[in-house]
Amino acid sequence: HVQLVESGGGSVQAGGSLRLSCVASAYPYRRYRMGWFRQAPGKEREGVAAIDSDDSTFYADSVKGRFTISQDSAKRSVILEMNNLGPEDTAMYYCAADSSSSAGNWWLKHGPSLGVPVWGQGTQVTVS
């Protein structure tokens, strides 16, 4: 049973930066995908960024140029560096794990509705 533990959320002023971390107890698949989704109150969960076991990366258009996803496979961790944050980035951020069999951008858009198998508990990001 794979578990994901997020950390690094918090409150920051607009224009600031935060770094989110997610550590997996194990990788769910040999060819895996780790990603971040976020959900603001009253809104659907949306994809933010993802990284595959081959280091391919994928980003939502809303965060391109501001967010960077990376991983340390030896530590089974994935990092989301968030810069130039705005109030629109306020949300609960969830780490997720899946196989990398689907297209990354498709997974970011449709993953939550089609059943991403592993989710973390979430970490809150508030930008004021």
Side-chain angles (χ1 to χ4, degrees):
H1 178 65
V2 177
Q3 293 183 316
L4 305 176
V5 178
E6 302 106 328
S7 61
S11 298
V12 66
Q13 291 186 337
S17 300
L18 282 174
R19 184 175 186 265
L20 304 184
S21 176
C22 172
V23 178
S25 60
Y27 286 123
Y29 302 94
R30 184 173 66 87
R31 293 183 179 179
Y32 62 83
R33 173 172 295 143
M34 301 285 289
W36 291 92
F37 292 80
R38 66 187 181 186
Q39 188 166 19
K43 295 187 176 181
E44 294 185 351
R45 192 168 296 190
E46 63 175 4
V48 176
I51 187 166
D52 288 354
S53 47
D54 66 358
D55 287 329
S56 298
T57 57
F58 310 92
Y59 295 93
D61 289 342
S62 59
V63 306
K64 283 181 181 177
R66 301 188 298 124
F67 292 12
T68 302
I69 190 169
S70 61
Q71 66 179 331
D72 183 338
S73 56
K75 297 180 179 179
R76 294 192 302 275
S77 67
V78 61
I79 304 297
L80 185 67
E81 300 275 2
M82 306 185 294
N83 298 310
N84 194 21
L85 286 160
E88 68 277 10
D89 298 310
T90 294
M92 185 71 79
Y93 283 69
Y94 297 91
C95 183
D98 201 345
S99 75
S100 60
S101 58
S102 63
N105 291 321
W106 182 94
W107 187 77
L108 286 177
K109 287 184 178 178
H110 302 288
S113 62
L114 296 179
V116 171
V118 187
W119 292 97
Q121 81 285 356
T123 185
Q124 178 68 37
V125 171
T126 303
V127 185
S128 59

